[in-house]
């Protein structure tokens, strides 16, 4: 996916992301109920056997939710508002923005709790966004930041591409699409990662929907006019040269051994 001459996503990358969100070709439906559908990307039928080996082992997953009681603008604000996230995201350990890269791009840090006995994860991502009357788009991917290397107590995960497309369908309704290809790293089998993502994604999106339902009332009492994602002049983040960042590749990270986790699960399954 093109990023133009620099690391910040260009118009081509946003258009390609939106194309994937709206595409039905090479996507296999895995879940469809209660206004929520989940797909995983499959290798094109035209792909030769030799090329199928190059198709990523970590699934690209797509979820679409038909929201009938929250505006697209509110859902977009929920995704951006870090202060509000602390009130509704129970898995979050730590989350903060590090620096601005452009009026519509920043770099940030997020860490989260994983079910025991797995180790907790963290990620450093470049995030970029676009907003118009017709749609809202946010995309992110993992980057290396010189001041935020992998920590000893956490496994550094990798977002190959993650994002949201939010399309208004009325004054208080929208189509909310989430697309992600992320590698949690460690030594978890890829089939476990892929299966877990299909189960967890609907739960996460329902949590985001619920957060959207309560956001207008919360925001009215918490700096209602402060939205630096809409008004860049409000941002208090330091500026950073994007050239200081580089794309984070999964194969450059230490492969943390979580074999004891698998052994424990296998013993439990065989008992």
């Amino acid at each position: 996916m093109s990023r133009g001459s620099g690391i910040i996503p260009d118009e081509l990358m946003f258009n390609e992301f939106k194309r994937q969100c709206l595409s039905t070709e090479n996507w296999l439906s895995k879940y469809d109920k209660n206004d929520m559908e989940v797909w995983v990307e499959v290798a094109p039928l035209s792909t030769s056997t030799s090329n199928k080996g190059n198709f990523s082992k970590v699934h690209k997953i797509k979820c679409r939710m038909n929201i009938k009681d929250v505006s697209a603008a509110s859902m977009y604000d929920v995704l951006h508002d870090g202060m509000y996230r602390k009130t509704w995201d129970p898995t979050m350990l730590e989350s903060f923005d590090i620096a601005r890269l452009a009026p519509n791009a920043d770099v940030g840090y997020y860490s989260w709790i994983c079910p025991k006995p797995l180790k907790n994860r963290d990620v450093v991502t470049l995030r970029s966004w676009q907003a118009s009357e017709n749609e809202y788009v946010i995309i992110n991917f993992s980057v290396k930041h010189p001041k935020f290397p992998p920590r000893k107590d956490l496994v550094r995960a990798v977002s190959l591409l993650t994002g949201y497309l939010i399309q208004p369908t009325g004054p208080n309704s929208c189509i909310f699409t989430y697309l992600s290809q992320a590698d949690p790293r460690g030594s978890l089998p890829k089939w476990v990662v892929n299966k877990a993502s299909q189960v967890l994604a609907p739960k996460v999106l329902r949590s985001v929907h619920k957060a959207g339902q309560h956001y207008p009332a919360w925001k009215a009492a918490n700096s209602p006019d402060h939205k630096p994602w809409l008004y860049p002049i409000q941002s208090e983040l330091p500026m950073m040269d994007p050239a200081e960042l580089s794309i984070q590749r999964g194969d450059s990270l230490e492969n943390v051994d979580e074999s004891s986790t698998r052994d424990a699960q296998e013993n439990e399954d065989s008992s």
Side-chain angles (χ1 to χ4, degrees), residues 23-264:
S23 173
T24 57
E25 188 175 357
N26 301 322
W27 290 93
L28 177 65
S29 180
K30 290 289 188 177
Y31 178 98
D32 187 2
K33 64 170 73 171
N34 302 324
D35 292 318
M36 171 93 68
E37 189 163 6
V38 178
W39 301 264
V40 294
E41 188 181 36
V42 294
L45 292 176
S46 59
T47 301
S48 67
T49 303
S50 60
N51 286 334
K52 281 186 178 180
N54 295 325
F55 205 73
S56 177
K57 293 181 180 179
V58 179
H59 281 167
K60 188 177 290 183
I61 187 169
K62 178 166 61 178
C63 308
R64 183 170 297 145
M65 181 167 49
N66 183 16
I67 296 178
K68 301 175 181 178
D69 56 357
V70 185
S71 70
S74 286
M75 294 304 298
Y76 180 69
D77 288 347
V78 166
L79 295 174
H80 274 288
D81 200 323
M83 291 300 296
Y84 184 56
R85 185 164 191 164
K86 296 175 182 178
T87 71
W88 66 266
D89 184 353
T91 65
M92 183 177 74
L93 280 174
E94 191 176 13
S95 179
F96 54 86
D97 298 327
I98 298 169
R100 287 177 65 199
L101 305 172
N104 69 325
D106 61 20
V107 58
Y109 175 87
Y110 179 78
S111 60
W112 67 96
I113 301 168
C114 291
K116 292 185 181 303
L118 298 181
K119 293 187 177 182
N120 295 332
R121 260 67 176 172
D122 72 350
V123 68
V124 174
T125 56
L126 186 157
R127 176 179 62 170
S128 189
W129 57 89
Q130 292 182 344
S132 69
E133 291 184 2
N134 299 321
E135 63 188 18
Y136 300 85
V137 188
I138 302 174
I139 55 180
N140 78 56
F141 49 86
S142 285
V143 292
K144 293 180 182 179
H145 190 295
K147 295 183 179 178
F148 292 89
R151 291 167 45 172
K152 295 290 187 183
D153 57 328
L154 298 169
V155 175
R156 177 62 48 91
V158 176
S159 167
L160 301 172
L161 175 69
T162 298
Y164 306 86
L165 171 63
I166 311 170
Q167 302 163 295
T169 55
N172 286 296
S173 60
C174 61
I175 300 295
F176 184 100
T177 304
Y178 166 78
L179 186 148
S180 180
Q181 187 175 21
D183 186 348
R185 300 301 297 162
S187 55
L188 290 174
K190 291 296 183 282
W191 71 266
V192 173
V193 174
N194 293 332
K195 187 66 176 178
S197 64
Q198 296 169 33
V199 173
L200 291 174
K203 294 181 180 179
V204 172
L205 259 65
R206 295 199 194 285
S207 293
V208 177
H209 179 198
K210 186 175 181 181
Q213 293 171 325
H214 297 289
Y215 183 73
W218 180 90
K219 189 60 176 173
N222 293 271
S223 305
D225 298 322
H226 185 71
K227 296 183 178 183
W229 52 93
L230 294 178
Y231 314 110
I233 195 172
Q234 294 180 346
S235 177
E236 298 177 354
L237 290 174
M239 288 296 298
M240 179 179 183
D241 183 353
E244 295 182 53
L245 301 172
S246 59
I247 303 297
Q248 175 69 73
R249 309 291 183 188
D251 54 12
S252 68
L253 292 168
E254 179 185 0
N255 199 23
V256 178
D257 182 14
E258 292 180 298
S259 57
S260 60
T261 301
R262 297 203 308 274
D263 293 342

